[in-house]
Amino acid sequence: MKLLVPSIGEPRPADARLIRLAEFLGIHCDQISLTETGALITEAADTVNAKDGSCLVINPEVIREWAGGNAPSDDFASTLVSSFRGVLIHAVRPDPFHSELVRSLTAGRFQAVQRVADSEDRLTVASDSKDVCGPYAGVSVCKANSENDRTFTVGKGGRNLISIGGEAHFAVSHLEKADVFLLGSEDVADLDSEVGEDCNVDLFSRFVPHAMALRHVFGDQCWRPFKSHACVIVDDPLMRPNYGFLDFHELLRMMKQHNFSTTLAFIPHNFRRSSAEGVRIFRDNSDRLSLCYHGNDHTGAEFATTDRSRLDTMIQSAEHRMTAFTEATRVHCDRVMVFPQGKFSVEAMAALRAHNFEAAVNTESHPWRDHILLTLREVAQPAVLRYAGFPLFLRKNGRQMQDTEIAFRLFFGIPLLIGEHHDTFHNPQSLVDAVTRINKAAPEIIWSSAGAAARGSVLHRRDTDGSLHVKAYARAVRVEIPSQRKECIHIHWGGRGREEGLESVQRNGVPGVPFHSDDFETCASAVLELRTEEQFSIHFREEQIKNIPPMSLRYNAGVFVRRRLSEIRDNHISGRPLLLSTTKALQKLIWH
């Protein structure tokens, strides 16, 4: 099955962008070259009938040019629709020809194309549209864009999926054996354009409904998330029963009551400073509480340095500390790095990759002092692979995790990572509200550690020959087969083609899995037995620093003072606003 895009000469810009979106989703596309003869449109039926079973894209301007401006007959429209499994009508305008084409192709169920009457009207997804719109069902997304968004007048028998002011904006009509989708957008977003933080709202009508329609028509042939993961990540606290406003006993009660899990972003400098009770709490509740790395000493911008030797030293020091911590406490720490103060460099990402960390998690999407914008293509994937090919998973705080953000992440397989600090628990209602919204939107969500969320954030699709492909983002991924039979699977790690130091692909920690790399990805193949779940990972040749050079006495003294002052601030000053502001000013004076 393919997406067929008719054109005269080069595809029109909106069609070209739709092709790129389809390919991004894993769909095979073919261009149908039409001759600009002005012949009667009915003579073209044989051209499309030969492509039976595929999905046809209809751009009204292409049809107008092909047909010499003649409106298609109802008989031809019926023949056309009956030849395909799906038809996508897009790039529509409030134009008589466009309106007549819509009416003809939907047998009158939808008719005129209209401008948005009120720019204050919102795009609202129907609550009964989960089969097509997935996690967006029931969500009021954003205000309409009067320059781009269009609606359709409804006759009888059409199904309205997304409305603007009660009028159909994204709709479907089932005719013959085909689903005819109407996309009320004049343009399609460019996947490779740079976008801001709110692209899931600003570009929604030019991007997400198109992806919804394509996924519905092509089913398992599209890349789609297999399971959805979520985690709350709390930065900095010591592993003690209380830290600042955070009481771990109360957190446990909240997690059980509201059904979520928490990862503590733990500072390796504190590896000898945990209390026996704090360790017991984590060890006895490993299904709810977990650890990951939070820098090494948590000094100012320590992972924003570009000095590779210094980065290697810090990472190996952190590893040695956490290995000693695990041996002493039997509490595991995921090889996931949360950057202190959200500051990192590309060189830090390369160093983490070389040391076989699984992923990084951060609030900022760009390196420190390099305010680049991600592309829409990067934002609509589980992790960003721009920086040295190492996966960066993005998180937001509870207040930012609103319905539209949740729906966007669920739809594209992005884990729902909530980043907080101890002061959130002074009044944790915003966190509880975010967790409640997530559980309502996705009752099947898997609350796990940050590491498990990274490993489980994979996309699946089946090729036309039935083979199963898995797109991995974290260095290590958990893979299970979704069918009831033995499967040969192909695992793809993007952003890592022909990488220096790539040594092996391991299966459950054992090397030997066959793999190959090209300029774009590393791919491994394996056979999985029925109902099995296994871990696959790419492994880099790691050069250990035999003798970690000691830091200077001045550096160590500065780290000691910084950590203790931070703890005094969190434990004793946070509840006193005036004293807190004075302390922060003093910190800046000392450290900056």
Side-chain angles (χ1 to χ4, degrees), residues 130 133-137 139-141 197 200-201 204 208 212 215 225 228-231 379 394 396-418 430-445 447:
K130 194 173 183 63
C133 302
Y136 276 99
V139 175
S140 176
V141 182
E197 291 291 324
N200 59 331
V201 171
F204 176 84
V208 178
M212 292 173 176
R215 268 205 192 160
S228 299
H229 291 258
C231 180
V379 170
L394 299 177
K396 293 197 172 185
N397 64 43
R399 289 183 176 84
Q400 294 171 312
M401 201 64 74
Q402 298 297 321
D403 290 342
T404 51
E405 179 70 23
I406 293 168
F408 184 83
R409 287 176 175 248
L410 291 172
F411 188 85
F412 288 105
I414 306 166
L416 291 112
L417 305 178
I418 303 175
S430 62
L431 173 60
V432 171
D433 289 345
V435 167
T436 301
R437 285 192 292 270
I438 291 170
N439 286 331
K440 180 180 178 181
E444 73 287 354
I445 196 84
W447 287 95

Short mmCIF file of all heavy atoms in Angstrom, two decimals, residues 130 133-137 139-141 197 200-201 204 208 212 215 225 228-231 379 394 396-418 430-445 447:
data_model
loop_
_atom_site.label_atom_id
_atom_site.label_comp_id
_atom_site.label_asym_id
_atom_site.label_seq_id
_atom_site.Cartn_x
_atom_site.Cartn_y
_atom_site.Cartn_z
N LYS A 130 -11.59 8.87 19.08
CA LYS A 130 -10.34 8.24 19.51
C LYS A 130 -9.79 7.28 18.45
O LYS A 130 -8.59 7.11 18.32
CB LYS A 130 -10.54 7.50 20.83
CG LYS A 130 -9.25 7.09 21.52
CD LYS A 130 -9.50 6.52 22.90
CE LYS A 130 -8.20 6.18 23.62
NZ LYS A 130 -7.36 7.35 23.88
N CYS A 133 -8.32 10.13 16.02
CA CYS A 133 -7.55 11.22 16.63
C CYS A 133 -6.75 10.79 17.84
O CYS A 133 -5.97 11.58 18.38
CB CYS A 133 -8.49 12.37 16.99
SG CYS A 133 -9.42 13.02 15.59
N GLY A 134 -6.94 9.56 18.29
CA GLY A 134 -6.14 9.03 19.39
C GLY A 134 -6.26 9.86 20.64
O GLY A 134 -7.36 10.23 21.06
N PRO A 135 -5.13 10.20 21.27
CA PRO A 135 -5.15 10.90 22.57
C PRO A 135 -5.70 12.32 22.49
O PRO A 135 -5.95 12.93 23.53
CB PRO A 135 -3.69 10.91 23.00
CG PRO A 135 -2.92 10.78 21.73
CD PRO A 135 -3.75 9.90 20.85
N TYR A 136 -5.89 12.86 21.30
CA TYR A 136 -6.47 14.20 21.17
C TYR A 136 -7.98 14.20 21.35
O TYR A 136 -8.58 15.28 21.46
CB TYR A 136 -6.14 14.79 19.80
CG TYR A 136 -4.78 15.45 19.71
CD1 TYR A 136 -3.70 14.78 19.18
CD2 TYR A 136 -4.59 16.75 20.17
CE1 TYR A 136 -2.45 15.38 19.10
CE2 TYR A 136 -3.35 17.36 20.09
CZ TYR A 136 -2.29 16.67 19.56
OH TYR A 136 -1.06 17.28 19.48
N ALA A 137 -8.62 13.04 21.37
CA ALA A 137 -10.08 12.99 21.47
C ALA A 137 -10.57 13.77 22.68
O ALA A 137 -10.11 13.56 23.80
CB ALA A 137 -10.55 11.54 21.55
N VAL A 139 -10.14 17.00 23.25
CA VAL A 139 -9.27 18.12 23.63
C VAL A 139 -9.64 19.37 22.82
O VAL A 139 -9.81 19.31 21.60
CB VAL A 139 -7.79 17.77 23.40
CG1 VAL A 139 -6.89 18.97 23.69
CG2 VAL A 139 -7.38 16.59 24.28
N SER A 140 -9.76 20.50 23.51
CA SER A 140 -9.87 21.80 22.84
C SER A 140 -8.44 22.31 22.66
O SER A 140 -7.77 22.65 23.63
CB SER A 140 -10.69 22.78 23.69
OG SER A 140 -10.72 24.05 23.09
N VAL A 141 -7.97 22.36 21.42
CA VAL A 141 -6.54 22.52 21.17
C VAL A 141 -6.08 23.98 21.19
O VAL A 141 -5.21 24.36 21.96
CB VAL A 141 -6.15 21.86 19.82
CG1 VAL A 141 -4.65 21.99 19.59
CG2 VAL A 141 -6.56 20.40 19.80
N GLU A 197 8.65 26.63 21.08
CA GLU A 197 8.19 25.72 22.13
C GLU A 197 6.73 25.30 21.95
O GLU A 197 6.33 24.22 22.37
CB GLU A 197 8.36 26.39 23.50
CG GLU A 197 9.81 26.59 23.92
CD GLU A 197 10.51 25.28 24.24
OE1 GLU A 197 9.86 24.38 24.79
OE2 GLU A 197 11.70 25.16 23.93
N ASN A 200 3.28 22.54 18.83
CA ASN A 200 2.16 21.60 18.85
C ASN A 200 0.82 22.31 18.87
O ASN A 200 -0.22 21.71 18.59
CB ASN A 200 2.27 20.64 20.04
CG ASN A 200 2.30 21.36 21.38
OD1 ASN A 200 2.75 22.49 21.47
ND2 ASN A 200 1.82 20.71 22.41
N VAL A 201 0.81 23.60 19.17
CA VAL A 201 -0.40 24.42 19.09
C VAL A 201 -0.37 25.29 17.85
O VAL A 201 -1.31 25.32 17.06
CB VAL A 201 -0.55 25.29 20.37
CG1 VAL A 201 -1.67 26.29 20.20
CG2 VAL A 201 -0.80 24.41 21.59
N PHE A 204 -0.69 23.10 14.71
CA PHE A 204 -1.54 21.93 14.84
C PHE A 204 -2.34 21.63 13.58
O PHE A 204 -2.29 20.52 13.04
CB PHE A 204 -2.50 22.12 16.02
CG PHE A 204 -3.50 21.01 16.18
CD1 PHE A 204 -3.16 19.84 16.85
CD2 PHE A 204 -4.78 21.10 15.64
CE1 PHE A 204 -4.07 18.80 16.98
CE2 PHE A 204 -5.68 20.07 15.76
CZ PHE A 204 -5.33 18.92 16.43
N VAL A 208 -0.93 17.98 12.49
CA VAL A 208 -1.42 16.83 13.25
C VAL A 208 -2.62 16.14 12.58
O VAL A 208 -2.63 14.90 12.47
CB VAL A 208 -1.75 17.24 14.70
CG1 VAL A 208 -2.30 16.04 15.47
CG2 VAL A 208 -0.50 17.77 15.40
N MET A 212 -2.95 12.22 11.60
CA MET A 212 -4.06 11.38 12.06
C MET A 212 -4.68 10.61 10.91
O MET A 212 -4.92 9.38 11.00
CB MET A 212 -5.13 12.24 12.73
CG MET A 212 -4.74 12.88 14.04
SD MET A 212 -6.04 14.04 14.59
CE MET A 212 -5.41 14.56 16.18
N ARG A 215 -2.20 7.92 9.50
CA ARG A 215 -2.07 6.77 10.41
C ARG A 215 -3.31 5.89 10.37
O ARG A 215 -3.23 4.66 10.43
CB ARG A 215 -1.86 7.28 11.85
CG ARG A 215 -0.41 7.42 12.22
CD ARG A 215 -0.30 7.29 13.72
NE ARG A 215 1.02 7.69 14.17
CZ ARG A 215 1.27 8.03 15.41
NH1 ARG A 215 0.31 8.09 16.29
NH2 ARG A 215 2.50 8.35 15.77
N PRO A 225 3.79 4.71 18.42
CA PRO A 225 4.30 4.24 19.72
C PRO A 225 3.69 2.90 20.09
O PRO A 225 2.51 2.65 19.81
CB PRO A 225 3.87 5.33 20.69
CG PRO A 225 2.78 6.08 20.00
CD PRO A 225 3.03 5.97 18.54
N SER A 228 3.17 3.77 26.03
CA SER A 228 3.48 5.12 26.49
C SER A 228 4.01 5.08 27.91
O SER A 228 3.50 4.33 28.75
CB SER A 228 2.22 6.00 26.42
OG SER A 228 1.75 6.09 25.09
N HIS A 229 5.03 5.90 28.17
CA HIS A 229 5.70 5.91 29.47
C HIS A 229 5.66 7.31 30.09
O HIS A 229 5.62 8.31 29.38
CB HIS A 229 7.15 5.47 29.33
CG HIS A 229 7.30 4.03 28.98
ND1 HIS A 229 7.64 3.07 29.90
CD2 HIS A 229 7.15 3.38 27.80
CE1 HIS A 229 7.70 1.88 29.31
NE2 HIS A 229 7.41 2.05 28.03
N ALA A 230 5.70 7.34 31.41
CA ALA A 230 5.70 8.61 32.14
C ALA A 230 6.54 8.48 33.40
O ALA A 230 6.70 7.37 33.94
CB ALA A 230 4.27 9.04 32.48
N CYS A 231 7.05 9.61 33.88
CA CYS A 231 7.84 9.61 35.10
C CYS A 231 7.94 11.03 35.64
O CYS A 231 8.04 11.99 34.88
CB CYS A 231 9.25 9.07 34.82
SG CYS A 231 10.33 9.03 36.27
N VAL A 379 11.04 17.70 16.97
CA VAL A 379 10.11 17.86 18.09
C VAL A 379 9.09 16.73 18.12
O VAL A 379 8.63 16.33 19.19
CB VAL A 379 9.42 19.23 17.99
CG1 VAL A 379 8.27 19.35 18.98
CG2 VAL A 379 10.42 20.35 18.22
N LEU A 394 13.19 15.35 26.43
CA LEU A 394 12.81 16.64 26.99
C LEU A 394 11.70 16.49 28.03
O LEU A 394 10.81 15.66 27.88
CB LEU A 394 12.36 17.58 25.88
CG LEU A 394 13.44 17.89 24.82
CD1 LEU A 394 12.86 18.77 23.72
CD2 LEU A 394 14.66 18.55 25.45
N LYS A 396 9.06 18.69 31.03
CA LYS A 396 8.43 19.95 31.42
C LYS A 396 7.93 19.81 32.84
O LYS A 396 7.77 18.69 33.35
CB LYS A 396 7.27 20.30 30.47
CG LYS A 396 7.73 20.60 29.06
CD LYS A 396 6.67 21.33 28.26
CE LYS A 396 7.23 21.80 26.92
NZ LYS A 396 6.27 22.62 26.15
N ASN A 397 7.67 20.95 33.49
CA ASN A 397 7.14 20.85 34.85
C ASN A 397 5.64 20.59 34.81
O ASN A 397 5.01 20.63 33.76
CB ASN A 397 7.48 22.10 35.67
CG ASN A 397 6.84 23.37 35.12
OD1 ASN A 397 5.68 23.38 34.73
ND2 ASN A 397 7.61 24.45 35.11
N GLY A 398 5.07 20.34 35.98
CA GLY A 398 3.66 19.95 36.04
C GLY A 398 2.72 21.00 35.49
O GLY A 398 1.71 20.67 34.84
N ARG A 399 3.01 22.28 35.72
CA ARG A 399 2.13 23.34 35.22
C ARG A 399 2.12 23.39 33.70
O ARG A 399 1.13 23.78 33.08
CB ARG A 399 2.55 24.70 35.79
CG ARG A 399 2.26 24.87 37.27
CD ARG A 399 2.62 26.25 37.77
NE ARG A 399 2.25 26.44 39.17
CZ ARG A 399 2.97 26.07 40.20
NH1 ARG A 399 4.15 25.48 39.98
NH2 ARG A 399 2.57 26.27 41.44
N GLN A 400 3.23 23.02 33.07
CA GLN A 400 3.32 23.04 31.61
C GLN A 400 2.70 21.80 30.97
O GLN A 400 2.44 21.81 29.76
CB GLN A 400 4.79 23.13 31.18
CG GLN A 400 5.47 24.44 31.58
CD GLN A 400 6.96 24.39 31.33
OE1 GLN A 400 7.64 23.43 31.71
NE2 GLN A 400 7.48 25.42 30.69
N MET A 401 2.48 20.77 31.76
CA MET A 401 1.97 19.51 31.21
C MET A 401 0.44 19.57 31.12
O MET A 401 -0.29 18.90 31.84
CB MET A 401 2.43 18.34 32.07
CG MET A 401 2.40 17.00 31.35
SD MET A 401 3.52 16.86 29.95
CE MET A 401 5.12 16.69 30.73
N GLN A 402 -0.03 20.41 30.17
CA GLN A 402 -1.46 20.59 29.95
C GLN A 402 -1.97 19.58 28.92
O GLN A 402 -1.20 18.80 28.34
CB GLN A 402 -1.75 22.02 29.51
CG GLN A 402 -1.37 23.07 30.55
CD GLN A 402 -2.16 22.95 31.83
OE1 GLN A 402 -3.36 22.67 31.82
NE2 GLN A 402 -1.49 23.15 32.97
N ASP A 403 -3.28 19.60 28.67
CA ASP A 403 -3.91 18.59 27.82
C ASP A 403 -3.29 18.52 26.42
O ASP A 403 -3.08 17.42 25.89
CB ASP A 403 -5.41 18.86 27.69
CG ASP A 403 -6.16 18.59 28.99
OD1 ASP A 403 -5.60 17.89 29.86
OD2 ASP A 403 -7.30 19.08 29.14
N THR A 404 -3.02 19.68 25.80
CA THR A 404 -2.46 19.66 24.45
C THR A 404 -1.06 19.07 24.44
O THR A 404 -0.69 18.33 23.52
CB THR A 404 -2.44 21.07 23.85
OG1 THR A 404 -1.81 21.98 24.77
CG2 THR A 404 -3.85 21.56 23.57
N GLU A 405 -0.25 19.38 25.45
CA GLU A 405 1.10 18.83 25.55
C GLU A 405 1.04 17.33 25.76
O GLU A 405 1.81 16.56 25.15
CB GLU A 405 1.86 19.50 26.69
CG GLU A 405 3.28 18.99 26.90
CD GLU A 405 4.23 19.41 25.79
OE1 GLU A 405 3.95 20.41 25.10
OE2 GLU A 405 5.25 18.72 25.61
N ILE A 406 0.15 16.88 26.62
CA ILE A 406 0.00 15.45 26.88
C ILE A 406 -0.42 14.72 25.61
O ILE A 406 0.14 13.67 25.26
CB ILE A 406 -1.03 15.22 28.02
CG1 ILE A 406 -0.48 15.75 29.34
CG2 ILE A 406 -1.40 13.75 28.14
CD1 ILE A 406 -1.51 15.85 30.44
N ALA A 407 -1.42 15.24 24.90
CA ALA A 407 -1.91 14.60 23.69
C ALA A 407 -0.81 14.52 22.63
O ALA A 407 -0.65 13.49 21.96
CB ALA A 407 -3.13 15.35 23.15
N PHE A 408 -0.06 15.61 22.45
CA PHE A 408 1.02 15.63 21.46
C PHE A 408 2.06 14.56 21.78
O PHE A 408 2.49 13.80 20.90
CB PHE A 408 1.66 17.02 21.45
CG PHE A 408 2.73 17.20 20.41
CD1 PHE A 408 2.39 17.51 19.11
CD2 PHE A 408 4.08 17.07 20.73
CE1 PHE A 408 3.38 17.69 18.14
CE2 PHE A 408 5.07 17.24 19.78
CZ PHE A 408 4.72 17.56 18.47
N ARG A 409 2.46 14.47 23.04
CA ARG A 409 3.47 13.49 23.43
C ARG A 409 2.96 12.06 23.27
O ARG A 409 3.68 11.18 22.78
CB ARG A 409 3.92 13.75 24.87
CG ARG A 409 4.81 14.98 25.00
CD ARG A 409 5.18 15.30 26.44
NE ARG A 409 6.13 16.40 26.51
CZ ARG A 409 7.39 16.30 26.91
NH1 ARG A 409 7.86 15.13 27.32
NH2 ARG A 409 8.18 17.36 26.93
N LEU A 410 1.74 11.81 23.66
CA LEU A 410 1.18 10.47 23.51
C LEU A 410 1.07 10.07 22.04
O LEU A 410 1.37 8.94 21.66
CB LEU A 410 -0.19 10.39 24.17
CG LEU A 410 -0.23 10.47 25.70
CD1 LEU A 410 -1.67 10.59 26.19
CD2 LEU A 410 0.45 9.26 26.33
N PHE A 411 0.65 11.03 21.20
CA PHE A 411 0.45 10.73 19.78
C PHE A 411 1.76 10.37 19.10
O PHE A 411 1.81 9.45 18.27
CB PHE A 411 -0.19 11.93 19.08
CG PHE A 411 -0.63 11.66 17.66
CD1 PHE A 411 -1.86 11.09 17.38
CD2 PHE A 411 0.21 11.96 16.60
CE1 PHE A 411 -2.25 10.82 16.08
CE2 PHE A 411 -0.16 11.70 15.30
CZ PHE A 411 -1.41 11.14 15.03
N PHE A 412 2.84 11.07 19.44
CA PHE A 412 4.11 10.84 18.76
C PHE A 412 5.08 9.98 19.56
O PHE A 412 6.25 9.84 19.18
CB PHE A 412 4.76 12.18 18.40
CG PHE A 412 4.05 12.89 17.28
CD1 PHE A 412 3.26 13.99 17.54
CD2 PHE A 412 4.15 12.45 15.98
CE1 PHE A 412 2.58 14.65 16.52
CE2 PHE A 412 3.48 13.08 14.94
CZ PHE A 412 2.70 14.19 15.21
N GLY A 413 4.63 9.39 20.67
CA GLY A 413 5.46 8.46 21.41
C GLY A 413 6.53 9.10 22.27
O GLY A 413 7.53 8.47 22.61
N ILE A 414 6.34 10.37 22.64
CA ILE A 414 7.31 11.09 23.47
C ILE A 414 6.98 10.82 24.93
O ILE A 414 5.85 11.05 25.36
CB ILE A 414 7.24 12.60 23.19
CG1 ILE A 414 7.41 12.86 21.69
CG2 ILE A 414 8.29 13.35 24.00
CD1 ILE A 414 7.04 14.27 21.27
N PRO A 415 7.92 10.32 25.74
CA PRO A 415 7.59 10.03 27.14
C PRO A 415 7.19 11.30 27.89
O PRO A 415 7.71 12.38 27.64
CB PRO A 415 8.88 9.43 27.69
CG PRO A 415 9.96 9.94 26.80
CD PRO A 415 9.33 10.05 25.43
N LEU A 416 6.27 11.15 28.81
CA LEU A 416 5.77 12.28 29.60
C LEU A 416 6.64 12.41 30.85
O LEU A 416 6.37 11.78 31.88
CB LEU A 416 4.30 12.08 29.94
CG LEU A 416 3.40 12.18 28.71
CD1 LEU A 416 2.78 10.84 28.37
CD2 LEU A 416 2.32 13.22 28.90
N LEU A 417 7.69 13.19 30.74
CA LEU A 417 8.63 13.38 31.82
C LEU A 417 8.36 14.73 32.48
O LEU A 417 8.40 15.77 31.82
CB LEU A 417 10.07 13.34 31.29
CG LEU A 417 10.45 12.07 30.50
CD1 LEU A 417 11.87 12.18 30.00
CD2 LEU A 417 10.25 10.82 31.35
N ILE A 418 8.08 14.70 33.78
CA ILE A 418 7.77 15.90 34.54
C ILE A 418 8.95 16.22 35.44
O ILE A 418 9.34 15.40 36.28
CB ILE A 418 6.49 15.70 35.38
CG1 ILE A 418 5.31 15.32 34.49
CG2 ILE A 418 6.19 16.96 36.19
CD1 ILE A 418 4.05 14.98 35.27
N SER A 430 -0.21 21.30 41.70
CA SER A 430 0.06 21.38 40.26
C SER A 430 0.61 20.05 39.74
O SER A 430 0.29 19.63 38.61
CB SER A 430 1.05 22.51 39.96
OG SER A 430 2.30 22.27 40.59
N LEU A 431 1.42 19.37 40.54
CA LEU A 431 1.94 18.07 40.15
C LEU A 431 0.83 17.03 40.14
O LEU A 431 0.70 16.24 39.19
CB LEU A 431 3.05 17.64 41.11
CG LEU A 431 3.59 16.22 40.93
CD1 LEU A 431 4.16 16.03 39.53
CD2 LEU A 431 4.65 15.91 41.99
N VAL A 432 0.01 17.01 41.18
CA VAL A 432 -1.12 16.07 41.24
C VAL A 432 -2.06 16.28 40.06
O VAL A 432 -2.53 15.32 39.43
CB VAL A 432 -1.87 16.21 42.58
CG1 VAL A 432 -3.17 15.41 42.57
CG2 VAL A 432 -0.98 15.76 43.74
N ASP A 433 -2.32 17.54 39.72
CA ASP A 433 -3.20 17.83 38.59
C ASP A 433 -2.61 17.30 37.29
O ASP A 433 -3.35 16.76 36.44
CB ASP A 433 -3.43 19.34 38.47
CG ASP A 433 -4.29 19.89 39.59
OD1 ASP A 433 -4.95 19.10 40.29
OD2 ASP A 433 -4.31 21.13 39.79
N ALA A 434 -1.30 17.46 37.10
CA ALA A 434 -0.66 16.97 35.87
C ALA A 434 -0.75 15.46 35.78
O ALA A 434 -1.06 14.89 34.73
CB ALA A 434 0.80 17.43 35.83
N VAL A 435 -0.48 14.78 36.91
CA VAL A 435 -0.57 13.32 36.94
C VAL A 435 -2.00 12.87 36.63
O VAL A 435 -2.21 11.91 35.87
CB VAL A 435 -0.12 12.79 38.31
CG1 VAL A 435 -0.49 11.33 38.49
CG2 VAL A 435 1.39 12.99 38.48
N THR A 436 -2.97 13.56 37.19
CA THR A 436 -4.37 13.21 36.96
C THR A 436 -4.73 13.38 35.49
O THR A 436 -5.43 12.53 34.91
CB THR A 436 -5.29 14.09 37.83
OG1 THR A 436 -4.96 13.90 39.21
CG2 THR A 436 -6.75 13.73 37.61
N ARG A 437 -4.27 14.47 34.88
CA ARG A 437 -4.54 14.69 33.45
C ARG A 437 -3.92 13.58 32.59
O ARG A 437 -4.54 13.09 31.64
CB ARG A 437 -3.99 16.05 33.02
CG ARG A 437 -4.82 17.23 33.48
CD ARG A 437 -4.39 18.52 32.80
NE ARG A 437 -3.07 18.96 33.21
CZ ARG A 437 -2.83 19.76 34.24
NH1 ARG A 437 -3.83 20.23 34.97
NH2 ARG A 437 -1.60 20.12 34.54
N ILE A 438 -2.70 13.17 32.93
CA ILE A 438 -2.03 12.10 32.17
C ILE A 438 -2.78 10.79 32.30
O ILE A 438 -3.05 10.09 31.31
CB ILE A 438 -0.57 11.94 32.65
CG1 ILE A 438 0.24 13.17 32.24
CG2 ILE A 438 0.05 10.68 32.08
CD1 ILE A 438 1.63 13.23 32.87
N ASN A 439 -3.14 10.42 33.54
CA ASN A 439 -3.85 9.15 33.75
C ASN A 439 -5.22 9.14 33.10
O ASN A 439 -5.71 8.09 32.66
CB ASN A 439 -3.96 8.86 35.25
CG ASN A 439 -2.64 8.42 35.85
OD1 ASN A 439 -1.81 7.83 35.18
ND2 ASN A 439 -2.43 8.73 37.12
N LYS A 440 -5.86 10.31 33.03
CA LYS A 440 -7.16 10.39 32.37
C LYS A 440 -7.01 10.24 30.86
O LYS A 440 -7.79 9.54 30.20
CB LYS A 440 -7.83 11.72 32.69
CG LYS A 440 -9.21 11.88 32.04
CD LYS A 440 -9.83 13.23 32.39
CE LYS A 440 -11.19 13.39 31.70
NZ LYS A 440 -11.79 14.72 32.02
N ALA A 441 -5.99 10.89 30.29
CA ALA A 441 -5.77 10.83 28.84
C ALA A 441 -5.29 9.45 28.41
O ALA A 441 -5.59 9.01 27.29
CB ALA A 441 -4.76 11.89 28.42
N ALA A 442 -4.53 8.77 29.27
CA ALA A 442 -3.95 7.48 28.90
C ALA A 442 -4.00 6.54 30.10
O ALA A 442 -3.00 6.37 30.80
CB ALA A 442 -2.51 7.66 28.43
N PRO A 443 -5.15 5.92 30.35
CA PRO A 443 -5.27 5.00 31.49
C PRO A 443 -4.26 3.85 31.44
O PRO A 443 -3.93 3.28 32.47
CB PRO A 443 -6.71 4.49 31.38
CG PRO A 443 -7.43 5.53 30.58
CD PRO A 443 -6.42 6.06 29.62
N GLU A 444 -3.77 3.55 30.23
CA GLU A 444 -2.83 2.44 30.07
C GLU A 444 -1.37 2.87 30.22
O GLU A 444 -0.45 2.07 30.05
CB GLU A 444 -3.02 1.81 28.68
CG GLU A 444 -2.49 2.63 27.51
CD GLU A 444 -3.34 3.85 27.16
OE1 GLU A 444 -4.43 4.03 27.77
OE2 GLU A 444 -2.90 4.63 26.29
N ILE A 445 -1.14 4.14 30.58
CA ILE A 445 0.22 4.67 30.67
C ILE A 445 1.06 3.84 31.64
O ILE A 445 0.56 3.33 32.65
CB ILE A 445 0.19 6.15 31.15
CG1 ILE A 445 1.52 6.85 30.89
CG2 ILE A 445 -0.16 6.25 32.62
CD1 ILE A 445 1.66 7.40 29.52
N TRP A 447 3.86 4.06 34.25
CA TRP A 447 4.68 4.90 35.11
C TRP A 447 5.90 4.09 35.52
O TRP A 447 5.78 2.99 36.05
CB TRP A 447 3.89 5.34 36.34
CG TRP A 447 2.85 6.38 36.02
CD1 TRP A 447 1.53 6.18 35.75
CD2 TRP A 447 3.06 7.79 35.93
NE1 TRP A 447 0.91 7.37 35.49
CE2 TRP A 447 1.82 8.39 35.60
CE3 TRP A 447 4.17 8.63 36.09
CZ2 TRP A 447 1.66 9.76 35.43
CZ3 TRP A 447 4.03 9.99 35.92
CH2 TRP A 447 2.78 10.55 35.60
#
